[in-house]
Structures are given as structure tokens and as C-alpha cells.
Amino acid sequence: HALGHKTVALNLLRTERAGQIREQTLQSYVDCVVAELDRHEQPVILVGHSMGGAVITAAVCSRSRAA
């Protein structure tokens, strides 16, 4: 924040109703990240650990194909 950067932590466990977590797939995680990327006009830096690395890689590849 000191350098003007905004930090966003995504919650990939989306719910359909209060207390019910819907089925999650790699594609649903990717879709969530891509939707968040689409909200930002400025370039972003993605950071992911373990499976998060696969998710952000797939999200970037997905957006690159759509461009």
C-alpha cells in the first residue's frame, strides 16, 4: 500500500446459498480469477502458492487466448 499498490485476496469458495459451497473445479477457480482481472484497468501482479500457481497460470492463458 505504501507504494500505491492495492492488495486483493480472492475467496475461491463461492457459495450458492448461505452455508452451501458449490462444487469447485479448476475451471471455476480460473473463471473467478479472470472475473477479478476484468475488474481492473491497470496491470496486475498475480501471486499464487501451490494449486494457486496453476490457477493463475491457467487464468492468464485463458485471457491471452481471448485477446
Side-chain angles (χ1 to χ4, degrees):
H1 290 272
L3 298 175
H5 299 289
K6 177 182 175 185
T7 302
V8 177
L10 298 181
N11 177 4
L12 298 178
L13 294 176
R14 298 189 213 167
T15 58
E16 290 183 4
R17 291 186 221 153
Q20 279 191 318
I21 297 174
R22 70 181 178 122
E23 180 181 359
Q24 299 296 305
T25 63
L26 177 61
Q27 188 60 52
S28 69
Y29 293 146
V30 170
D31 293 344
C32 182
V33 172
V34 169
E36 183 64 30
L37 290 174
D38 289 342
R39 290 185 187 97
H40 300 274
E41 294 180 11
Q42 299 295 323
V44 299
I45 297 171
L46 297 174
V47 178
H49 171 71
S50 192
M51 185 176 158
V55 172
I56 63 174
T57 299
V60 169
C61 290
S62 172
R63 282 187 105 217
S64 296
R65 284 192 300 270

